[in-house]
Amino acid sequence: MGLTLDRGRYYFVLNVPKHLVGKVLGRNGQPIKQVRQALKTADLSVAKRKAFELEELKRAEWHLLDQGEEALAYEKYAAARQVAASRGFDYVPEKVLLQRSFEENLPRLREAAGPIGQPVSPKIVDALLGGVEVALPPLRQVLADYIESTKTKHLRKSERQRHSWRLPRERAVTHFEKAVPSLKQAGIDKITRDDALIFRDWWARRIEAGETRAETANKDFGHLSQLFREWCELKGHGDLENPFAKLRFDKAVDPLVTRPSFSRTWIETKLLAAGALDGLNPEAADALLMMVNTGLRPSEILSCPLDDFCLDADIPFLRVAANGRELKQRHTAREVPLLGVSLAAAHRVVARGGVKRYLHKANTWSSLVNKFLGNNGLKETPQHTAYSLRHYVEDALLEAGVDDRVRADILGHKYARPVYGSGGGLQMRRTALEKIAF
């Protein structure tokens, strides 16, 4: 975009893209290579505002002109909506416009006719007068649009967190395409409740065969329902009925949803036995040991910079903060005292210069450690995982009679009651953890 000053007045100047030269017409109906239009102002700030609005209009029109015959129907429709909006109108299908009065349609007709001697492109006329077929994108394109449209929601996430957020949604779309392949290229407005029930039956057969769990299917249903609902709201199609709503299986049919906690005896005699973790690399082993007396999440340990290992304080502690990633909830930011085997492990991490190999890689760490536990007879049951240490700490604190506010402060849980003061701070948290620490 350019602004030129000619005899005290500003003009808008914009070069036509090379691939559209010959398609963009001037006032005389002949092809032009550059748009030049008077902004009728000598005020630079006013000129910039008008130029911005004019550029938005021109680029929308050119995008429509750029849609060749090979373009998909939903791409043409999206471009037509954009052009109509740039001219100040909603896109309305032709058959709807024909039901309206002449007076109601007059402003739209005048815009489509254009100024005398300045013909309007037929494609732009179609956009203004509803001559483009209404067509919505298929589910996978909807997902791509949704990710782009909602990226500001995830600015605080690390790249790994953004990947972890996208992955299950992409997986849900892939599963739907496998279950109902005939709809892979169909617009989402073509997905019916019957199609969604076919998808549900596809999952039901897998659950009955023991291939997967109901909770896994429910995650797919939730992701697709949210995707459909929020995309439609963003794009102005809120009148479409959500076919993925209320598909969830009853959790009662899935006995594996609850992750068990380790028993104190198992931790003492198995996990903390001499040489039990020798097969793990030192950083992975120390992260696991830091969980034993703290109940910290693996991601909370493995995302901490060196400065957040506050081991020289009167009460050594780990500071849980955002640190380049989005915290699960605001109340998860906290200071957790370190003692016993967890404090010793933290000292070793600091001596090595902090977390390096698994920094912001909690999923990688979990896969490695859970495989190690399974291969070395360190799982109390097949359902136990490294995360079961967090459940142990929670259960042990409860059995020790620790106040629920202090437990919430240690574990980073939401505290339902009104919060006053610091809840006793580090001293009270350490006193609580001393009751259960190894």
Side-chain angles (χ1 to χ4, degrees), residues 11 30 41 98 217 290 314 341-342 349 368 384 386 391 408 436:
Y11 287 77
Q30 298 301 311
T41 181
L98 290 174
M290 283 187 66
D314 291 340
V341 298
S342 295
V349 172
L368 171 76
H384 277 77
H391 292 285
I436 67 166

PDB file of all heavy atoms in Angstrom, residues 11 30 41 98 217 290 314 341-342 349 368 384 386 391 408 436:
ATOM      1  N   TYR A  11      -3.536  10.514  -2.032  1.00  0.00           N
ATOM      2  CA  TYR A  11      -4.084   9.509  -2.936  1.00  0.00           C
ATOM      3  C   TYR A  11      -3.629   8.118  -2.470  1.00  0.00           C
ATOM      4  O   TYR A  11      -2.506   7.946  -1.990  1.00  0.00           O
ATOM      5  CB  TYR A  11      -3.612   9.743  -4.382  1.00  0.00           C
ATOM      6  CG  TYR A  11      -4.256  10.928  -5.048  1.00  0.00           C
ATOM      7  CD1 TYR A  11      -3.841  12.220  -4.754  1.00  0.00           C
ATOM      8  CD2 TYR A  11      -5.289  10.759  -5.974  1.00  0.00           C
ATOM      9  CE1 TYR A  11      -4.433  13.321  -5.357  1.00  0.00           C
ATOM     10  CE2 TYR A  11      -5.887  11.850  -6.586  1.00  0.00           C
ATOM     11  CZ  TYR A  11      -5.454  13.134  -6.273  1.00  0.00           C
ATOM     12  OH  TYR A  11      -6.047  14.227  -6.871  1.00  0.00           O
ATOM     13  N   GLN A  30     -11.216  -1.148 -18.783  1.00  0.00           N
ATOM     14  CA  GLN A  30     -10.003  -1.738 -19.312  1.00  0.00           C
ATOM     15  C   GLN A  30      -9.113  -2.241 -18.169  1.00  0.00           C
ATOM     16  O   GLN A  30      -9.137  -1.691 -17.070  1.00  0.00           O
ATOM     17  CB  GLN A  30      -9.239  -0.707 -20.151  1.00  0.00           C
ATOM     18  CG  GLN A  30     -10.019  -0.207 -21.362  1.00  0.00           C
ATOM     19  CD  GLN A  30     -10.397  -1.336 -22.310  1.00  0.00           C
ATOM     20  OE1 GLN A  30      -9.557  -2.146 -22.670  1.00  0.00           O
ATOM     21  NE2 GLN A  30     -11.678  -1.382 -22.703  1.00  0.00           N
ATOM     22  N   THR A  41      -8.579  14.142   1.252  1.00  0.00           N
ATOM     23  CA  THR A  41      -8.183  14.701   2.543  1.00  0.00           C
ATOM     24  C   THR A  41      -6.724  15.136   2.496  1.00  0.00           C
ATOM     25  O   THR A  41      -5.917  14.576   1.752  1.00  0.00           O
ATOM     26  CB  THR A  41      -8.364  13.672   3.684  1.00  0.00           C
ATOM     27  OG1 THR A  41      -7.997  14.277   4.921  1.00  0.00           O
ATOM     28  CG2 THR A  41      -7.496  12.450   3.465  1.00  0.00           C
ATOM     29  N   LEU A  98     -34.393 -12.634  -3.137  1.00  0.00           N
ATOM     30  CA  LEU A  98     -35.584 -12.543  -3.980  1.00  0.00           C
ATOM     31  C   LEU A  98     -36.872 -12.473  -3.157  1.00  0.00           C
ATOM     32  O   LEU A  98     -37.912 -12.029  -3.660  1.00  0.00           O
ATOM     33  CB  LEU A  98     -35.641 -13.730  -4.939  1.00  0.00           C
ATOM     34  CG  LEU A  98     -34.580 -13.730  -6.054  1.00  0.00           C
ATOM     35  CD1 LEU A  98     -34.639 -15.027  -6.855  1.00  0.00           C
ATOM     36  CD2 LEU A  98     -34.782 -12.524  -6.974  1.00  0.00           C
ATOM     37  N   ALA A 217     -12.734 -42.435  23.744  1.00  0.00           N
ATOM     38  CA  ALA A 217     -13.790 -42.054  22.795  1.00  0.00           C
ATOM     39  C   ALA A 217     -14.446 -40.750  23.214  1.00  0.00           C
ATOM     40  O   ALA A 217     -14.709 -39.871  22.382  1.00  0.00           O
ATOM     41  CB  ALA A 217     -14.831 -43.167  22.706  1.00  0.00           C
ATOM     42  N   MET A 290      11.988 -36.444  42.950  1.00  0.00           N
ATOM     43  CA  MET A 290      11.449 -35.168  43.418  1.00  0.00           C
ATOM     44  C   MET A 290       9.938 -35.228  43.609  1.00  0.00           C
ATOM     45  O   MET A 290       9.370 -34.459  44.385  1.00  0.00           O
ATOM     46  CB  MET A 290      11.823 -34.048  42.438  1.00  0.00           C
ATOM     47  CG  MET A 290      13.272 -33.578  42.560  1.00  0.00           C
ATOM     48  SD  MET A 290      13.616 -32.133  41.527  1.00  0.00           S
ATOM     49  CE  MET A 290      12.560 -30.897  42.327  1.00  0.00           C
ATOM     50  N   ASP A 314      15.985 -20.729  53.793  1.00  0.00           N
ATOM     51  CA  ASP A 314      15.864 -21.357  55.118  1.00  0.00           C
ATOM     52  C   ASP A 314      15.048 -22.641  55.025  1.00  0.00           C
ATOM     53  O   ASP A 314      15.344 -23.626  55.710  1.00  0.00           O
ATOM     54  CB  ASP A 314      15.206 -20.378  56.096  1.00  0.00           C
ATOM     55  CG  ASP A 314      16.113 -19.192  56.424  1.00  0.00           C
ATOM     56  OD1 ASP A 314      17.341 -19.316  56.210  1.00  0.00           O
ATOM     57  OD2 ASP A 314      15.593 -18.152  56.866  1.00  0.00           O
ATOM     58  N   VAL A 341      14.405 -37.433  50.287  1.00  0.00           N
ATOM     59  CA  VAL A 341      14.930 -37.892  48.991  1.00  0.00           C
ATOM     60  C   VAL A 341      14.660 -36.885  47.883  1.00  0.00           C
ATOM     61  O   VAL A 341      15.423 -36.802  46.911  1.00  0.00           O
ATOM     62  CB  VAL A 341      14.346 -39.272  48.619  1.00  0.00           C
ATOM     63  CG1 VAL A 341      14.754 -40.329  49.636  1.00  0.00           C
ATOM     64  CG2 VAL A 341      12.831 -39.210  48.464  1.00  0.00           C
ATOM     65  N   SER A 342      13.593 -36.109  48.027  1.00  0.00           N
ATOM     66  CA  SER A 342      13.277 -35.111  47.004  1.00  0.00           C
ATOM     67  C   SER A 342      14.263 -33.947  47.043  1.00  0.00           C
ATOM     68  O   SER A 342      14.664 -33.418  45.990  1.00  0.00           O
ATOM     69  CB  SER A 342      11.843 -34.601  47.187  1.00  0.00           C
ATOM     70  OG  SER A 342      10.913 -35.641  46.970  1.00  0.00           O
ATOM     71  N   VAL A 349      20.148 -32.210  40.633  1.00  0.00           N
ATOM     72  CA  VAL A 349      19.717 -31.504  39.426  1.00  0.00           C
ATOM     73  C   VAL A 349      20.443 -30.164  39.311  1.00  0.00           C
ATOM     74  O   VAL A 349      20.963 -29.799  38.248  1.00  0.00           O
ATOM     75  CB  VAL A 349      18.187 -31.281  39.431  1.00  0.00           C
ATOM     76  CG1 VAL A 349      17.778 -30.375  38.274  1.00  0.00           C
ATOM     77  CG2 VAL A 349      17.446 -32.612  39.343  1.00  0.00           C
ATOM     78  N   LEU A 368       9.259 -42.668  28.919  1.00  0.00           N
ATOM     79  CA  LEU A 368      10.472 -43.393  29.299  1.00  0.00           C
ATOM     80  C   LEU A 368      10.335 -44.018  30.682  1.00  0.00           C
ATOM     81  O   LEU A 368      10.608 -45.218  30.875  1.00  0.00           O
ATOM     82  CB  LEU A 368      11.668 -42.443  29.275  1.00  0.00           C
ATOM     83  CG  LEU A 368      12.972 -43.007  29.850  1.00  0.00           C
ATOM     84  CD1 LEU A 368      13.602 -43.969  28.862  1.00  0.00           C
ATOM     85  CD2 LEU A 368      13.944 -41.898  30.220  1.00  0.00           C
ATOM     86  N   HIS A 384      -0.668 -48.649  37.476  1.00  0.00           N
ATOM     87  CA  HIS A 384       0.164 -47.633  38.121  1.00  0.00           C
ATOM     88  C   HIS A 384       1.114 -46.978  37.112  1.00  0.00           C
ATOM     89  O   HIS A 384       1.623 -47.630  36.198  1.00  0.00           O
ATOM     90  CB  HIS A 384       0.989 -48.256  39.263  1.00  0.00           C
ATOM     91  CG  HIS A 384       0.234 -48.379  40.544  1.00  0.00           C
ATOM     92  ND1 HIS A 384      -0.705 -49.354  40.765  1.00  0.00           N
ATOM     93  CD2 HIS A 384       0.274 -47.629  41.689  1.00  0.00           C
ATOM     94  CE1 HIS A 384      -1.219 -49.215  41.984  1.00  0.00           C
ATOM     95  NE2 HIS A 384      -0.646 -48.168  42.561  1.00  0.00           N
ATOM     96  N   ALA A 386       4.035 -43.315  36.831  1.00  0.00           N
ATOM     97  CA  ALA A 386       4.821 -42.377  37.643  1.00  0.00           C
ATOM     98  C   ALA A 386       3.916 -41.357  38.317  1.00  0.00           C
ATOM     99  O   ALA A 386       4.175 -40.925  39.451  1.00  0.00           O
ATOM    100  CB  ALA A 386       5.857 -41.681  36.760  1.00  0.00           C
ATOM    101  N   HIS A 391      -0.657 -39.034  43.420  1.00  0.00           N
ATOM    102  CA  HIS A 391      -1.850 -39.504  44.136  1.00  0.00           C
ATOM    103  C   HIS A 391      -1.476 -40.048  45.511  1.00  0.00           C
ATOM    104  O   HIS A 391      -2.259 -39.914  46.463  1.00  0.00           O
ATOM    105  CB  HIS A 391      -2.570 -40.559  43.302  1.00  0.00           C
ATOM    106  CG  HIS A 391      -3.187 -40.017  42.048  1.00  0.00           C
ATOM    107  ND1 HIS A 391      -4.329 -39.267  42.050  1.00  0.00           N
ATOM    108  CD2 HIS A 391      -2.780 -40.090  40.759  1.00  0.00           C
ATOM    109  CE1 HIS A 391      -4.625 -38.916  40.807  1.00  0.00           C
ATOM    110  NE2 HIS A 391      -3.699 -39.398  40.007  1.00  0.00           N
ATOM    111  N   ALA A 408      -4.162 -28.242  49.450  1.00  0.00           N
ATOM    112  CA  ALA A 408      -4.357 -27.540  48.175  1.00  0.00           C
ATOM    113  C   ALA A 408      -3.130 -26.706  47.821  1.00  0.00           C
ATOM    114  O   ALA A 408      -2.710 -26.646  46.664  1.00  0.00           O
ATOM    115  CB  ALA A 408      -5.604 -26.664  48.247  1.00  0.00           C
ATOM    116  N   ILE A 436       4.870 -37.276  56.109  1.00  0.00           N
ATOM    117  CA  ILE A 436       4.768 -38.365  55.144  1.00  0.00           C
ATOM    118  C   ILE A 436       6.082 -38.605  54.392  1.00  0.00           C
ATOM    119  O   ILE A 436       6.180 -39.526  53.580  1.00  0.00           O
ATOM    120  CB  ILE A 436       3.660 -38.090  54.114  1.00  0.00           C
ATOM    121  CG1 ILE A 436       4.044 -36.897  53.219  1.00  0.00           C
ATOM    122  CG2 ILE A 436       2.318 -37.847  54.793  1.00  0.00           C
ATOM    123  CD1 ILE A 436       3.177 -36.765  51.977  1.00  0.00           C
TER     124      ILE A 436
END
